[in-house]
Amino acid sequence: MADPVTVTPAAAELIRSLRGRHGPLMFHQSGGCCDGSAPMCYPAGEFRTGGSDVRLAALAVDGVPEPVEFWMSKSQWDLWKHTRLTVDVVPGRGSGFSLEAPDGVRFLIRSRLAT
């Protein structure tokens, strides 16, 4: 089975930039209902995960020395587990708590059915 989470080249470029400014990173996706939901990007370890979260991937991004973990709330993954997720970047501000917010862009999720 393919990895459940991948990144686009635009997302990889932004991840490299954020890594250079903030150090190791992580993503957490919670509460998004569908395609176009915004995963939050944090410095690694800043968002506390627990038993209600699932680590879906340790993303290998060229130019980033360590994997970027991607977490999702278990209840959301139970609904999305039949999909493969792609982290992309679009213009516009997302959440004020996600590291990319000051850059005028936001991460978002594109999904497709797993095959």
Side-chain angles (χ1 to χ4, degrees):
M1 178 182 349
D3 287 336
V5 182
T6 60
V7 298
T8 64
E13 182 178 335
L14 183 54
I15 289 167
R16 283 189 290 276
S17 175
L18 293 172
R19 168 56 172 88
R21 290 181 269 163
H22 301 283
L25 304 172
M26 68 177 290
F27 282 98
H28 189 273
Q29 172 79 28
S30 64
C33 67
C34 49
D35 224 30
S37 297
M40 304 284 283
C41 182
Y42 300 100
E46 187 171 296
F47 185 91
R48 184 172 278 177
T49 58
S52 63
D53 299 296
V54 177
R55 189 184 86 160
L56 300 182
L59 301 167
V61 178
D62 286 341
V64 175
E66 65 282 317
V68 178
E69 291 187 342
F70 190 100
W71 293 80
M72 182 177 277
S73 66
K74 183 180 180 328
S75 61
Q76 186 173 2
W77 180 240
D78 286 344
L79 298 171
W80 282 30
K81 62 187 169 192
H82 63 282
T83 65
R84 295 297 166 253
L85 309 174
T86 301
V87 180
D88 201 358
V89 176
V90 294
R93 290 189 51 111
S95 170
F97 296 111
S98 194
L99 291 175
E100 79 283 2
D103 293 346
V105 294
R106 67 183 181 96
F107 288 109
L108 88 156
I109 292 294
R110 298 187 191 280
S111 63
R112 63 180 169 75
L113 289 175
T115 55

